[in-house]
Amino acid sequence: HGTVMAEFELNVLDIDEAGKDYDFPLTASWIAASLADAGVKPGAEADGALTLRAHRQGRDVVVSGRLSAELVAECARCLGDAPIHVDSRFASLLTARAAEIRPVADELELTPEDLDRDFYSGDTIVLDGAVREHLLLEVPMQLLCAEDCAGIAVPPEVAGPADLRALEAGSNGEAVDPRLAPLMKLVSALPAEGGAGPAEES
């Protein structure tokens, strides 16, 4: 991600206690560059969106917002494209980090348990890394292109000839593996219960 230009920057000097609203496009080019190493691509032609509100609390900045995007990743069964619809909310607490940083944090309206915590230095907050993480959290571990995805079709040359796949029917009507045919022939030649002679070969 080091080669990706920062797309989501906030100027701390623009943010006060009343708060400031931001609206960023989540472009296909940014998604492609930022998520390629995770196997995730942009899915739709239209851009996604990052809308957020930032406000100061002492020297901290609280950012809360919403991410929406259409992504595509690999289906776990068929390896084709599987769509991912992202529409999630997030909140982050950004703490100023500097040589003279205070030892005790200011009182916050939201507890740290409610927020992702991160740090910033200087007058600029870059949210690209946080946005990337939030998007990746929306990708399921076992992603499917469809609930009933049948997986990869077995090519005929791998499945074997049709006559080997056709199973013979046994005496009770159940299918018998053709590899067992010689054994079944021997079994049918054994004396039946009650002492009768060998069964006639078919």
Side-chain angles (χ1 to χ4, degrees):
H1 338 295
T3 58
V4 180
M5 294 286 291
E7 192 101 343
F8 312 113
E9 288 187 354
L10 312 182
N11 185 333
V12 177
L13 301 179
D14 291 341
I15 303 168
D16 57 20
E17 291 183 5
K20 182 175 174 62
D21 293 317
Y22 295 86
D23 194 350
F24 295 101
L26 200 54
T27 63
S29 59
W30 184 88
I31 291 171
S34 300
L35 304 183
D37 61 341
V40 179
K41 303 177 290 186
E45 293 182 12
D47 289 342
L50 168 64
T51 57
L52 55 87
R53 182 169 184 80
H55 67 273
R56 294 278 287 272
Q57 296 201 338
R59 295 177 61 179
D60 294 333
V61 176
V62 176
V63 175
S64 57
R66 181 175 179 178
L67 269 173
S68 61
E70 300 297 332
L71 308 176
V72 170
E74 190 176 80
C75 173
R77 286 186 193 158
C78 71
L79 307 183
D81 283 348
I84 307 162
H85 174 68
V86 175
D87 188 355
S88 66
R89 297 188 175 277
F90 68 93
S92 294
L93 168 65
L94 295 133
T95 301
R97 172 175 276 166
E100 73 283 359
I101 191 166
R102 65 216 178 282
V104 179
D106 297 315
E107 189 72 24
L108 291 175
E109 295 171 6
L110 298 172
T111 63
E113 289 75 22
D114 298 325
L115 301 159
D116 289 332
R117 192 179 188 95
D118 208 345
F119 296 91
Y120 75 92
S121 59
D123 296 331
T124 303
I125 294 174
V126 177
L127 296 176
D128 291 52
V131 171
R132 179 183 186 276
E133 287 180 22
H134 283 295
L135 288 175
L136 290 178
L137 285 174
E138 296 296 312
V139 179
M141 292 294 290
Q142 286 291 317
L143 179 63
L144 299 179
C145 59
E147 285 295 328
D148 57 351
C149 174
I152 299 174
V154 179
E157 62 270 18
V158 176
D163 58 345
L164 287 182
R165 296 198 306 272
L167 300 178
E168 297 177 4
S171 58
N172 57 1
E174 292 182 0
V176 177
D177 190 315
R179 291 169 293 185
L180 296 178
L183 181 59
M184 294 303 292
K185 193 170 185 179
L186 289 173
V187 169
S188 67
L190 291 174
E193 290 184 15
E200 291 186 8
E201 292 184 13
S202 54

